[in-house]
Amino acid sequence: MTTTVFATVRTALRSVLTSMMPLPRRGGAAALALLPLIERVPGMAQPCRMHPAVYAIEAAVIDWARRTGLRADPGVGFHRMAGRAFAEFDAAAAALFAQWLTWLFHLDDELDEGECRLEIFTGMLKGAVRHPLEAAFADLWRVTSVRMSDRWRARFAVGLQRQHDACRTEADNRAAGRMPTLEEYPALRRGTVGPYLYDLVEPCLRVEVPAWVHESEPWQQLVNACSDVTAWCNDVASRPKEHGDVHNFVVLAMRQLGLSEREATGWVLDRIVRRCEDMQAAARLLPLDDLAPKAARDVSKVACAYLAAPRAHLDWLLESTRYA
């Protein structure tokens, strides 16, 4: 009897406390199509823990964005995505990654909808600060690269160049009225999403993955699968925002396979599930036993952040106003 009373009281208290907590913002309706992944992918079954300092992370991102001349929209919630992906690490790591996310999505919007031209990539690599995106990049680069090796900096520059080349290909496709094939699209999308985004996990965690590990097949498979999962989930959520642009996996499946939007979304979800399986398989093959204990711990930290990214990204898509 006493146990039942205590259980009832606990349930009532939990209900009251939940009602007092701020509810997450609602994202776009298209993101709801991603919910089946929660049941189909074991690694996405449980929501990520939110960083306890999420509000301090939000304040740091807003302050940085305003200081560098970028728009600061709390409803978009990049701090919440980073707060989930870096929930097990310090607030500074999550804040730095959230600042990079803010910059990356501003770059994406400017390239798609603004007056920013592809030449901005050259300006960033040369240290120009004429455009707010260049100034913000220079600020982030100063903080991020200071503790990293020349090899890591060169890897980042290669990733930035890959993004430039992929964005150039998309621009050429639009000008020629051409759409990429379903076989071409995954590699192209890995470029436009920003390949260096995954390299940024290392400086945020103040570690560096050994070059031979980074170049190994399991590591490359892990990174590419993580990139595909997050990019394709983003394609599902952003489909209504594309306004006729064919550079979206759902749109391509509709056009090239003759599917309805619902069928094409299911087709993309099937591929997301497979890539989640690829992520787990690659993580199990990482050569941790060939590393010294500290190096193995460092590599594991980065890999764990990758493995947490799909669910952190899903939760963000479901609550962010970006695609609402």
Side-chain angles (χ1 to χ4, degrees):
M1 179 68 174
T2 302
T3 303
T4 302
V5 171
F6 282 142
T8 302
V9 171
R10 282 199 303 269
T11 300
L13 284 173
R14 188 181 298 115
S15 177
V16 170
L17 291 173
T18 300
S19 67
M20 294 171 62
M21 295 175 65
L23 294 174
R25 303 173 181 88
R26 289 292 182 91
L32 296 176
L34 295 166
L35 286 175
L37 294 174
I38 295 174
E39 296 182 356
R40 298 181 62 185
V41 180
M44 297 175 73
Q46 296 295 326
C48 294
R49 186 173 75 89
M50 179 60 75
H51 200 290
V54 64
Y55 295 115
I57 296 168
E58 177 184 23
V61 173
I62 292 174
D63 177 70
W64 170 82
R66 289 174 176 166
R67 178 166 50 82
T68 55
L70 301 182
R71 298 185 308 277
D73 181 359
V76 173
F78 295 123
H79 62 287
R80 295 181 67 83
M81 191 197 308
R84 289 188 174 98
F86 290 83
E88 307 301 325
F89 305 102
D90 62 44
L96 181 58
F97 196 73
Q99 289 164 355
W100 274 107
L101 287 174
T102 302
W103 175 84
L104 176 62
F105 278 82
H106 273 80
L107 174 65
D108 184 63
D109 287 345
E110 280 290 324
L111 291 172
D112 286 346
E113 305 165 8
E115 298 179 355
C116 177
R117 298 189 299 173
L118 285 171
E119 284 71 17
I120 195 169
F121 285 96
T122 303
M124 288 185 293
L125 289 171
K126 291 183 177 180
V129 293
R130 296 164 298 179
H131 191 283
L133 281 169
E134 293 174 336
F137 176 86
D139 184 77
L140 286 174
W141 182 249
R142 175 181 55 80
V143 174
T144 303
S145 65
V146 65
R147 64 176 68 92
M148 306 306 289
S149 69
D150 289 342
R151 183 186 294 272
W152 183 90
R153 295 189 187 98
R155 191 205 314 162
F156 183 97
V158 169
L160 196 63
Q161 184 64 49
R162 279 182 59 197
Q163 187 181 29
H164 167 274
D165 295 344
C167 289
R168 173 68 69 188
T169 298
E170 282 198 351
D172 291 344
N173 285 344
R174 294 186 188 103
R178 179 187 181 275
M179 70 172 70
T181 66
L182 290 170
E183 293 73 26
E184 293 171 338
Y185 182 73
L188 178 63
R189 188 70 172 97
R190 275 178 227 138
T192 59
V193 78
Y196 49 82
L197 180 64
Y198 300 92
D199 293 325
L200 289 168
V201 173
E202 295 167 63
C204 287
L205 297 181
R206 304 181 186 89
V207 303
E208 187 164 339
V209 174
W212 71 268
V213 175
H214 186 272
E215 294 165 3
S216 69
E217 185 174 352
W219 190 266
Q220 289 299 310
Q221 289 176 349
L222 175 62
V223 174
N224 287 339
C226 184
S227 177
D228 289 345
V229 169
T230 53
W232 300 350
C233 284
N234 210 83
D235 280 2
V236 172
S238 66
R239 207 279 320 150
K241 190 182 177 184
E242 299 300 342
H243 304 302
D245 190 354
V246 298
H247 295 94
N248 179 290
F249 219 5
V250 177
V251 174
L252 290 175
M254 292 171 63
R255 298 277 188 93
Q256 297 182 26
L257 299 178
L259 303 177
S260 67
E261 182 173 347
R262 182 176 180 178
E263 292 169 337
T265 299
W267 184 89
V268 173
L269 291 183
D270 289 343
R271 276 140 192 83
I272 292 173
V273 170
R274 292 176 197 168
R275 292 304 271 156
C276 287
E277 294 170 351
D278 292 341
M279 281 185 65
Q280 295 294 331
R284 289 192 290 269
L285 293 174
L286 292 177
L288 299 179
D289 292 340
D290 297 330
L291 294 165
K294 182 183 182 305
R297 287 194 297 271
D298 289 346
V299 170
S300 295
K301 287 180 183 179
V302 179
C304 285
Y306 292 159
L307 293 171
R311 180 62 204 237
H313 185 234
L314 172 62
D315 288 340
W316 174 75
L317 289 171
L318 291 171
E319 70 183 18
S320 174
T321 60
R322 178 171 172 80
Y323 301 120

